[in-house]
Amino acid sequence: MENPTSPFLTPGAAYMLQYSPLLALGTLDKEGKPWTTIWGGEPGFSRPIAHSIIGIKTLVDRKNDPVVETLLGASDDGEVIREESKGRMVSGLAIDLASRRRVKLAGRMVAGALGQLGGEGEVDESAKGEMQLVVKIEQSLGNCPKYLNSKHIYPSLPEPKLISSTPHLPQQAIDLLSKSDLFFISSSNRESDMDTNYRGGPPGFVRVLNNDSNGTAIVYPEYSGNRLYQTLGNLQTTPQAGLVFPDLDTGDVLYVTGTTEILVGKDAATLLPRSNLAVKVTITASRFVEKGLAFRGHNGERSPYNPPVRFLSTERAMPDTQAKNSTVVYAKLLKKAILTPTIARFRFSISDPIAAGRWKPGQYVALAFEDELSIGYSHMREDDPRSLNDDYMRTFTVSSAPGGDMPEDEFEITVRKIGGVTGFLFRQSERTALEIPLKGFGGLFAIEQSEEELVSFVAGGIGITPLLAQLPALDISRLRVFWTLSIRDIGLVSDTFNRHPSLRTSTNLFITGDESKLSEKDKKLLLEVTASGAKVERRRMLGTDLETESPRWYICTGTGLRKSLIEWLVGKEVIYEDFNY
């Protein structure tokens, strides 16, 4: 692909610079380590002052900002420092998060000055100061809005306080990383040029690998981009980067620099499951500063291109049968049963049960649909933005017990149609002989029931599935089931009671919705369920419905109901299923 970078400040880049409230800036310190900072607060603090020459005037942290320190040293008396020869490399990113627009800049420092904020003859003991910088722009390039989470930026007076300056990150920095949905990164191609750009995703998309006596390292996924690979190309030739993480709520800021490692394919997936490309940063120096920023921000809409958070394999293990042996294991579709317009049960056989391993009741199966559904690379896809980073790996709770009334090499999943993958499954028939790579079985939502113990299970809709696989091992007479669902899903209840008739008298059903909208078939099923021996309520579940002697409660519901249940069950042991595999 031809490089679209312009060797000067284009009119479009100049316009973007003037109207951007933020400017991320990167440079190399005297040891050649890259650092990144973020300046601004409102439009107009940076602007073109001559052909391909820009001027910057803004409040900064004059004592703790590593870029300020690198460019102007300890000089904070307002004296103008002029660069000798061609000047030090500087890269920048002018960005307006509100409109999701950005432009990359790179060039050389011409001159700069740093002053205190006190009046004439006064000594300002605080760390804040005023920075002026002149940069000759040698490269500019507009970038797309992908992964930019919308923010409204406004100015705020900094009150910097250095909390930590060691590679080991303090807890405040860890907390910042856990909620951060953006950062800025600077890299260099040795000493020939530099690049500063943005990385964004869902909150917590940057994961902490380790932060102990053995060192500190973080990792983040590289999402599908414009394929210019300017940052990754730099990291390939010069494996080091400087990152800045701004906290737009508090004004706190984390600066880090370190060595980098690009992880590709299985190396990425082993560390960060569901990733094909990731970057690991081993931190060699950092600074965490309270209230070091001259701006704050309000959250707007998050980018529709953001995929879900990809957790470390040590946080949430994703099975990968293919990675552990050379045998390719497939799940072959044998049977499909449509239970409701949006819920179906699928039975699969396993091509190599030994290689796949035995599953336990309460586990999920990981199936890979990439070969069936991926349509290859696209830079932007407005009709389905999240598909750009979709690995088409899906996890489904196994709803059948191992063995039982089916062969040892078969299993079932019961799923709701929501999204492209499940829609694809619903369109299949047994005659298609569909075979999907089976990555393995994982997770464990095990229901424990000691002798004479009464156990309760709360399910929301399809959340009944983890219980179904475990029924053969439970004493149902000491099981209480509280199941809330839409009347449209009455077919799932009927099927469950027909396959597990002993469950009926242990179940309290809470059914919501308009019966008049049911088909005649579903109205008949509703009558059968009402007469089945289950306790049926035609309303929402309430906290008072859960007054039993059960000391232990298992929950598999949506997050909203789960929050209410935890409040209702104060003092009880609550164990819940987490859908975020």
Side-chain angles (χ1 to χ4, degrees):
M1 181 183 292
E2 184 179 348
N3 187 350
T5 303
S6 299
F8 54 88
L9 183 69
T10 65
Y15 177 88
M16 189 69 216
L17 178 70
Q18 293 180 81
Y19 290 96
S20 295
L22 296 178
L23 178 67
L25 216 65
T27 193
L28 303 180
D29 67 15
K30 61 183 179 181
E31 297 176 357
K33 296 183 297 186
W35 289 94
T36 309
T37 189
I38 181 75
W39 295 343
E42 57 187 341
F45 76 96
S46 58
R47 59 190 178 87
I49 57 177
H51 177 67
S52 290
I53 303 291
I54 67 170
I56 304 165
K57 183 178 181 180
T58 185
L59 291 179
V60 296
D61 176 356
R62 62 186 173 87
K63 293 184 178 180
N64 308 302
D65 185 322
V67 172
V68 172
E69 178 184 310
T70 297
L71 295 180
L72 295 177
S75 174
D76 60 3
D77 57 4
E79 179 184 356
V80 175
I81 297 176
R82 290 178 172 81
E83 288 287 87
E84 299 177 359
S85 185
K86 61 181 180 179
R88 280 169 289 182
M89 287 194 301
V90 175
S91 56
L93 182 77
I95 187 167
D96 179 12
L97 290 168
S99 63
R100 294 193 173 111
R101 299 175 67 192
R102 56 179 161 164
V103 63
K104 296 203 298 181
L105 308 169
R108 301 274 175 173
M109 174 178 166
V110 176
L114 178 64
Q116 302 181 21
L117 293 186
E120 186 175 349
E122 298 179 8
V123 177
D124 183 8
E125 297 296 336
S126 73
K128 56 182 176 286
E130 184 178 75
M131 178 81 169
Q132 297 187 66
L133 187 67
V134 178
V135 178
K136 183 180 187 302
I137 301 302
E138 298 172 341
Q139 299 178 43
S140 63
L141 173 67
N143 267 195
C144 71
K146 210 162 40 167
Y147 314 121
L148 268 66
N149 297 310
S150 179
K151 316 277 185 184
H152 171 67
I153 302 299
Y154 58 93
S156 180
L157 192 65
E159 296 291 344
K161 178 182 178 183
L162 181 64
I163 301 300
S164 172
S165 60
T166 66
H168 182 272
L169 300 180
Q171 186 58 48
Q172 300 102 307
I174 299 297
D175 294 341
L176 169 55
L177 291 174
S178 71
K179 71 174 187 177
S180 182
D181 64 356
L182 63 84
F183 67 88
F184 299 90
I185 179 171
S186 296
S187 58
S188 70
N189 180 6
R190 300 183 175 90
E191 296 183 0
S192 61
D193 61 36
M194 284 196 71
D195 179 88
T196 295
N197 213 336
Y198 166 101
R199 291 292 184 269
F205 76 106
V206 177
R207 311 306 297 171
V208 179
L209 275 173
N210 53 277
N211 184 43
D212 50 34
S213 58
N214 294 321
T216 300
I218 58 178
V219 63
Y220 67 90
E222 275 285 343
Y223 302 141
S224 174
N226 58 17
R227 293 200 166 182
L228 293 178
Y229 300 117
Q230 291 173 318
T231 297
L232 290 177
N234 285 346
L235 300 185
Q236 185 71 30
T237 63
T238 314
Q240 54 185 18
L243 289 68
V244 62
F245 295 85
D247 188 330
L248 301 183
D249 297 324
T250 65
D252 298 346
V253 58
L254 173 64
Y255 307 99
V256 303
T257 188
T259 58
T260 60
E261 179 183 359
I262 300 173
L263 306 171
V264 181
K266 285 190 175 181
D267 289 338
T270 298
L271 191 61
L272 204 62
R274 296 188 161 183
S275 297
N276 188 54
L277 190 61
V279 175
K280 174 184 174 182
V281 182
T282 300
I283 296 175
T284 56
S286 78
R287 298 179 184 183
F288 181 76
V289 184
E290 280 187 356
K291 299 181 179 178
L293 299 177
F295 56 88
R296 302 290 188 273
H298 296 309
N299 287 327
E301 292 184 355
R302 300 200 188 280
S303 170
Y305 287 89
N306 290 342
V309 172
R310 296 171 181 174
F311 294 93
L312 297 171
S313 56
T314 53
E315 295 176 296
R316 301 184 182 185
M318 277 290 296
D320 191 351
T321 299
Q322 317 297 343
K324 294 178 181 178
N325 60 72
S326 58
T327 304
V328 180
V329 180
Y330 290 96
K332 181 179 180 180
L333 179 63
L334 301 177
K335 188 182 295 185
K336 177 179 72 172
I338 300 295
L339 308 180
T340 79
T342 61
I343 297 176
R345 184 174 59 250
F346 301 88
R347 180 177 292 193
F348 294 89
S349 64
I350 304 172
S351 63
D352 190 334
I354 296 177
R358 195 71 176 139
W359 78 91
K360 300 176 183 177
Q363 286 192 308
Y364 60 74
V365 61
L367 301 175
F369 291 83
E370 182 178 10
D371 292 344
E372 300 291 337
L373 296 177
S374 177
I375 61 174
Y377 171 78
S378 292
H379 176 44
M380 303 284 283
R381 193 173 296 161
E382 297 294 344
D383 60 323
D384 188 12
R386 294 187 69 173
S387 68
L388 291 187
N389 292 289
D390 197 338
D391 61 356
Y392 297 103
M393 175 88 76
R394 294 295 186 270
T395 56
F396 304 100
T397 300
V398 178
S399 56
S400 59
D405 61 351
M406 65 179 66
E408 294 285 323
D409 64 345
E410 295 181 8
F411 68 91
E412 290 180 337
I413 58 175
T414 305
V415 303
R416 185 182 297 278
K417 180 167 63 174
I418 178 170
V421 170
T422 50
F424 169 78
L425 268 179
F426 268 67
R427 295 192 297 271
Q428 304 306 304
S429 72
E430 297 90 332
R431 296 189 300 274
T432 62
L434 174 69
E435 290 187 318
I436 299 295
L438 190 157
K439 292 296 186 177
F441 298 92
L444 187 60
F445 184 50
I447 301 171
E448 298 179 0
Q449 185 184 52
S450 59
E451 190 174 352
E452 305 302 323
E453 181 185 13
L454 180 66
V455 170
S456 295
F457 186 95
V458 184
I462 198 72
I464 196 70
T465 53
L467 174 65
L468 302 183
Q470 302 181 66
L471 285 176
L474 298 174
D475 181 351
I476 297 181
S477 68
R478 292 186 287 111
L479 175 68
R480 299 292 179 268
V481 178
F482 300 84
W483 190 3
T484 178
L485 73 167
S486 166
I487 200 169
R488 296 188 299 271
D489 293 336
I490 195 64
L492 173 62
V493 181
S494 175
D495 179 78
T496 299
F497 284 174
N498 287 336
R499 301 187 100 203
H500 308 280
S502 60
L503 189 61
R504 299 169 182 172
T505 55
S506 294
T507 300
N508 298 268
L509 281 172
F510 300 87
I511 302 176
T512 60
D514 187 352
E515 181 179 345
S516 67
K517 295 182 179 180
L518 291 179
S519 66
E520 292 303 316
K521 176 184 176 182
D522 282 350
K523 287 179 180 178
K524 182 180 178 181
L525 293 180
L526 178 61
L527 289 174
E528 293 175 356
V529 166
T530 303
S532 67
K535 183 179 179 181
V536 179
E537 301 282 359
R538 296 293 302 279
R539 59 173 174 81
R540 293 182 180 275
M541 183 188 297
L542 302 173
T544 53
D545 295 316
L546 308 180
E547 295 175 354
T548 75
E549 298 301 316
S550 175
R552 185 182 303 159
W553 291 74
Y554 293 87
I555 297 175
C556 188
T557 70
T559 54
L561 178 56
R562 185 174 72 200
K563 182 179 178 181
S564 296
L565 288 166
I566 291 173
E567 293 174 353
W568 294 340
L569 297 172
V570 173
K572 304 287 187 179
E573 181 184 2
V574 177
I575 303 161
Y576 59 83
E577 170 72 306
D578 190 343
F579 291 102
N580 295 316
Y581 296 124

